Amino acid sequence: MNSDKIKNGPSGASVRTLLYGMGYIREEIDRPLIGIVNSQNEIVPGHMLLDRIAEAAKKGVSLAGGTPVEFPSIGICDGIAMGHDGMKYPLASRELVADSIEAMAKGHAFDGLVLVPNCDKIVPGMLMAAARLNIPAVVVSGGAMRAGYSEGTVLDFNSVMEKIGAFKNGTCTEDELEEVALNACPGCGSCSGLFTANSMNCLTEVLGLGLPYNGTALADSGERIRLAKMAGVKVMEMVKRNIRPRDILTENAFGNAITVDMAMAGSTNTVLHLPAIAHEAGIKLDLRIFDKISEKTPYIAKLSPSGHHHIEDLHRAGGVPALMNELSKKGLVNKDCMTVTGLRVGDNISNTTVKDYSVIMPIDKPYRNRGGLAILRGNLAEDGAVVKESAVAEEMLVHSGPAVVFNSEEEASEAIWAKQIKKGDVIVIRYEGPKGGPGMREMLSPTSSIAGMGLDKDVALITDGRFSGASRGASIGHVSPEAMSGGLIGLLKNGDIINIDIPGRKLSVSLSDEEIAARRSDYIKPEPKVKSGYLARYAKLVTSANTGAVLED
């Protein structure tokens, strides 16, 4: 065991005395030491209940003959960070999560880990740590929030964001806005739609580092507690069999994850996180792989914000295993990949069936014949840009319009609220990329305002920043290279004609090479927005969005 080197023999007496001092008995010390990484806090709804999950995981470890040792991880709520300088931190915090777990696990020679996340950047941060450390590990998330209801209408977090836009547009009252706010989030858990948190929780399951139904069992259910206990049991099996994350996180496993992502149109943030996790596992995921898989993957599950179903509906319909089994009917799932169940993917999904074909469509009757996410390229995005095609109105799939250029999210939001945006415009928000932001802020506030004002079928938005998994409309993010790295988006002027062709996978601006060269010669790079602290260090090391915004080695 890894921990034997610090606790056994005469030289291990110094470690044993510290453990004795905390109340551990020799029998506990002699067992495998399993770190329980708990990201519980009282500011994130998805993390408020994680003490229950961690406690259940500890019981599972103990039942299987291990000694659980709990330690914390940070976690930022994207919803609370949204719309102000705080949003510079969530993506950057992904690296802090991974680094802190590495430090704790290495510093204390744990034999295995049970990782307990739930929300946006914490899930991929923990997966990155598992891949980097490569000691036996199981991820068990906290579970999804139930959808809210008010006057017969199904609600989620995005309902509130769009209602704010309606209020600013004068189409709803403050009382009506507060009614939605009171009911949209009825309890704790990761927000109820297929936003970034639930997208990543589902893909954790598909990658094989989470147990079946990790992505869909609800936060307040007994099933979620049982899942956590089983995670503790399974990590002990992984220790005994010496099955490690990189045995599970293979190229085929990432292929399965991208396939499921496309089949249910997960958050565009998955295109940041999957390459980052793969990077830690020694695998390169080029953006072209996403589009290649999208071309052959039918879109068969339409959840909010693309549709009206929520995670609880997907769970009742059979969850991710049923969706994967449906995809396997066309040979789209690699069944040979190992998982933390100790079984192969094929074994895990073989006995599952779709229980509601209105939630998971039959494989031969999909919503669309290709996946819900698209990678666009052109002179405006030489290294790629990302859009959730499934959440774009049909009339906006192909669009040309004049650019209205802003150098920050705040400037754009003020213009939208002041009704300065006209039908047909293409809003450009730049200097919000990984380096330029820094931290690549989500643009849910402007996209929700556009939707709330009824302009989502008339106005497009492109940015070198990113979008919340809750965003909908012609919202094109991750434009690479970003403005701060010399991308063409930094040279745009008001009135430039932007050409968007999502079915054709193209994003360009109608400028001649000569005009682009002239503008580049006159370009003056702006000063960094943040010059001290963690974000300043992050900006110096972070790479482009098309690489997953990982830090330079």
Side-chain angles (χ1 to χ4, degrees):
M1 292 188 300
N2 191 38
S3 62
D4 286 347
K5 64 187 179 186
I6 66 165
K7 65 184 184 182
N8 283 3
S11 63
S14 60
V15 171
R16 293 196 298 274
T17 190
L18 295 170
L19 296 173
Y20 288 144
M22 290 184 283
Y24 290 96
I25 62 175
R26 185 59 187 260
E27 286 79 4
E28 290 177 295
I29 296 171
D30 289 341
R31 293 174 178 179
L33 300 182
I34 307 299
I36 310 296
V37 189
N38 184 4
S39 56
Q40 190 273 343
N41 61 45
E42 296 183 353
I43 193 65
V44 187
H47 290 231
M48 183 77 172
L49 299 179
L50 290 189
D51 277 349
R52 297 171 63 240
I53 305 302
E55 191 61 34
K58 288 160 69 174
K59 288 179 180 178
V61 169
S62 296
L63 283 169
T67 297
V69 182
E70 184 177 340
F71 64 89
S73 167
I74 65 167
I76 297 175
C77 179
D78 283 46
I80 295 174
M82 192 77 64
H84 61 95
D85 280 352
M87 183 42 76
K88 295 179 185 290
Y89 284 90
L91 181 61
S93 77
R94 186 186 70 181
E95 317 308 314
L96 292 175
V97 170
D99 290 351
S100 63
I101 294 169
E102 174 195 352
M104 288 292 289
K106 287 285 191 180
H108 301 101
F110 287 117
D111 298 299
L113 297 172
V114 178
L115 300 139
V116 186
N118 210 25
C119 292
D120 296 41
K121 312 309 166 292
I122 303 95
V123 179
M126 289 195 179
L127 288 166
M128 289 165 66
R132 184 188 303 173
L133 290 162
N134 203 33
I135 60 174
V138 178
V139 177
V140 56
S141 303
M145 182 189 294
R146 296 183 187 274
Y149 293 87
S150 177
E151 298 180 355
T153 301
V154 184
L155 303 171
D156 55 38
F157 177 74
N158 197 37
S159 305
V160 181
M161 296 299 293
E162 293 191 3
K163 204 71 171 176
I164 293 171
F167 172 74
K168 290 182 179 293
N169 196 36
T171 54
C172 87
T173 67
E174 190 169 356
D175 286 343
E176 289 170 335
L177 171 60
E178 193 63 17
E179 175 69 16
V180 173
L182 280 169
N183 291 285
C185 295
C188 291
S190 49
C191 293
S192 57
L194 190 63
F195 311 144
T196 304
N198 288 327
S199 295
M200 290 307 305
N201 287 330
C202 288
L203 297 188
T204 297
E205 177 182 338
V206 181
L207 284 169
L209 279 188
L211 295 169
Y213 307 104
N214 176 74
T216 58
L218 296 179
D220 60 0
S221 66
E223 182 179 7
R224 178 57 62 176
I225 301 301
R226 296 195 300 273
L227 200 69
K229 288 179 183 175
M230 190 55 65
V233 171
K234 289 299 180 181
V235 77
M236 290 302 299
E237 290 184 14
M238 299 295 102
V239 170
K240 292 170 185 174
R241 297 175 60 185
N242 196 30
I243 297 175
R244 298 168 181 259
R246 292 188 196 176
D247 299 325
I248 294 170
L249 297 174
T250 62
E251 287 190 26
N252 286 333
F254 282 101
N256 282 346
I258 296 170
T259 297
V260 171
D261 197 17
M262 295 300 170
M264 62 183 187
S267 165
T268 52
N269 284 313
T270 60
V271 185
L272 281 175
H273 299 321
L274 289 176
I277 298 161
H279 175 77
E280 297 289 355
I283 296 169
K284 183 177 181 179
L285 280 188
D286 189 275
L287 287 188
R288 291 178 178 83
I289 297 172
F290 286 82
D291 228 24
K292 182 179 179 181
I293 291 176
S294 180
E295 283 294 329
K296 63 180 182 179
T297 304
Y299 174 37
I300 60 174
K302 198 170 189 176
L303 279 70
S304 177
S306 301
H308 63 274
H309 291 124
H310 289 79
I311 291 296
E312 60 198 70
D313 302 309
L314 179 61
H315 190 62
R316 284 195 294 267
V320 172
L323 186 145
M324 292 180 73
N325 195 31
E326 192 68 20
L327 291 169
S328 72
K329 294 176 182 179
K330 290 286 182 73
L332 297 174
V333 172
N334 188 305
K335 296 182 178 181
D336 292 329
C337 295
M338 177 57 70
T339 74
V340 291
T341 64
L343 302 173
R344 306 281 174 179
V345 166
D347 300 316
N348 290 339
I349 68 174
S350 61
N351 293 322
T352 62
T353 57
V354 176
K355 299 174 182 177
D356 186 346
Y357 274 112
S358 71
V359 178
I360 302 173
M361 298 295 287
I363 191 69
D364 55 354
K365 294 181 180 179
Y367 291 108
R368 294 180 182 175
N369 289 319
R370 62 181 182 183
L373 302 182
I375 309 299
L376 311 184
R377 292 181 184 273
N379 68 352
L380 196 48
E382 293 180 356
D383 293 333
V386 183
V387 63
K388 184 180 282 194
E389 182 177 6
S390 62
V392 180
E394 290 290 331
E395 48 265 62
M396 289 298 292
L397 290 172
V398 178
H399 178 76
S400 291
V404 185
V405 183
F406 304 96
N407 290 333
S408 71
E409 177 190 0
E410 287 86 353
E411 293 176 13
S413 292
E414 288 173 9
I416 294 167
W417 295 335
K419 301 182 181 179
Q420 295 173 5
I421 304 301
K422 303 185 296 294
K423 290 185 177 182
D425 284 347
V426 178
I427 300 169
V428 176
I429 306 177
R430 62 191 180 191
Y431 297 108
E432 291 287 7
K435 284 185 179 295
M440 204 180 183
R441 289 194 288 179
E442 290 184 343
M443 303 292 156
L444 182 56
S445 292
T447 60
S448 297
S449 296
I450 290 168
M453 291 178 173
L455 292 172
D456 55 302
K457 296 181 180 179
D458 303 290
V459 171
L461 192 157
I462 69 170
T463 180
D464 52 8
R466 60 194 176 91
F467 294 108
S468 164
S471 291
R472 63 184 177 93
S475 304
I476 300 167
H478 305 202
V479 171
S480 302
E482 63 173 290
M484 203 65 173
S485 296
L488 183 55
I489 189 173
L491 305 180
L492 296 179
K493 296 180 179 179
N494 288 332
D496 288 342
I497 300 301
I498 307 296
N499 305 301
I500 299 166
D501 181 357
I502 295 173
R505 302 303 195 247
K506 295 177 181 178
L507 178 64
S508 65
V509 57
S510 298
L511 292 176
S512 67
D513 292 342
E514 291 76 14
E515 175 63 18
I516 292 171
R519 291 188 188 186
R520 199 171 292 283
S521 66
D522 294 335
Y523 175 74
I524 299 174
K525 186 176 180 179
E527 287 289 312
K529 294 179 181 177
V530 178
K531 298 181 180 180
S532 63
Y534 172 63
L535 284 177
R537 299 195 301 274
Y538 175 83
K540 291 178 180 178
L541 294 173
V542 70
T543 60
S544 171
N546 68 294
T547 67
V550 298
L551 300 186
E552 291 178 356
D553 292 329

